[in-house]
């Protein structure tokens, strides 16, 4: 992979908001929860249809979670943008849209749908535009069943080095 460590770490961690406990992230971000329980926390909007489309806002929750752990703004910005990059790619490339799974197409509706031409043009001016699109394409490519990839230990030193610089 021809990418810097921050981009690789963002690719590795981009869906962390799907896996962290929403209650724990809420507690970490805004403090101890009151008796209201999990009201207001992100939910799976596809649950009513019986199809999981993931946790709404998981990209924002994941980015904030990583920010609180000490990851760089670049890592967090890339994590936060992988849904936006999907909206961009579906706006500019019909074949990309057609390649999405049914669950991804459904989640796209809840995520705001494809960008307008104006939003797509604005996204192209983002300083991290290329990295954001690349991360999204890696995300899509990783959904191959039985794809052989390095284990998490292969990234341990990279993550420790990254976090160590932030102290």
């Amino acid at each position: 992979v021809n990418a810097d460590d921050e981009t690789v770490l963002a690719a590795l961690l981009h869906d962390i908001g799907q896996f962290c406990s929403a209650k724990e992230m809420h507690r970490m971000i805004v403090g101890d929860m009151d008796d209201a329980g999990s009201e207001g926390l992100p939910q799976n909007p596809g649950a009513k249809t019986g199809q999981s489309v993931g946790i709404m806002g998981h990209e924002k929750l994941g980015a904030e979670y990583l920010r609180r752990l000490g990851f760089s703004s670049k890592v967090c910005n890339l994590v936060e943008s992988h849904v936006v990059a999907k909206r961009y790619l579906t706006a500019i490339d019909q074949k990309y849209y057609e390649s999405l799974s049914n669950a991804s197409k459904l989640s796209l509706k809840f995520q705001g749908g494809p960008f307008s031409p104006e939003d797509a043009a604005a996204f192209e001016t983002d300083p991290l535009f290329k990295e954001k699109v690349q991360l999204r394409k890696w995300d899509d490519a990783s959904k191959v069943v039985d794809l052989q990839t390095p284990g998490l230990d292969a990234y341990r030193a990279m993550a420790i080095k990254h976090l160590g610089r932030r102290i």
Side-chain angles (χ1 to χ4, degrees), residues 22-40:
K23 286 183 181 181
E24 184 56 33
M25 281 195 290
H26 187 272
R27 191 175 299 116
M28 182 181 205
I29 294 167
V30 298
D32 286 334
M33 294 184 67
D34 57 19
D35 293 332
S38 61
E39 281 186 40

Side-chain angles (χ1 to χ4, degrees), residues 2 37 42 60 96 98 106 112 123-125 128-129 143 146-148 151-152 154 164:
N2 189 18
K60 292 179 184 348
Y96 178 81
E98 291 167 3
L106 181 59
F123 184 67
E124 290 170 351
T125 67
L128 292 174
F129 165 73
K143 295 173 182 164
D146 295 326
L147 179 68
Q148 296 298 310
L152 288 175

Side-chain angles (χ1 to χ4, degrees), residues 76-96:
C76 298
N77 192 328
L78 291 173
V79 166
E80 193 166 18
S81 70
H82 74 279
V83 167
V84 174
K86 178 171 82 170
R87 295 184 66 206
Y88 168 77
L89 288 168
T90 57
I92 65 151
D93 185 352
Q94 183 63 31
K95 288 183 181 179
Y96 178 81

Side-chain angles (χ1 to χ4, degrees), residues 82-157:
H82 74 279
V83 167
V84 174
K86 178 171 82 170
R87 295 184 66 206
Y88 168 77
L89 288 168
T90 57
I92 65 151
D93 185 352
Q94 183 63 31
K95 288 183 181 179
Y96 178 81
Y97 175 81
E98 291 167 3
S99 75
L100 295 176
S101 68
N102 288 337
S104 191
K105 288 175 183 172
L106 181 59
S107 70
L108 178 64
K109 290 179 183 178
F110 293 109
Q111 294 160 342
F115 271 163
S116 67
E118 297 79 20
D119 289 337
F123 184 67
E124 290 170 351
T125 67
D126 187 303
L128 292 174
F129 165 73
K130 289 180 182 178
E131 291 92 339
K132 290 176 178 183
V133 170
Q134 184 60 62
L135 189 145
R136 182 69 213 188
K137 289 181 177 180
W138 287 337
D139 182 20
D140 294 328
S142 72
K143 295 173 182 164
V144 175
V145 176
D146 295 326
L147 179 68
Q148 296 298 310
T149 61
L152 288 175
D153 282 344
Y155 302 97
R156 178 186 290 269

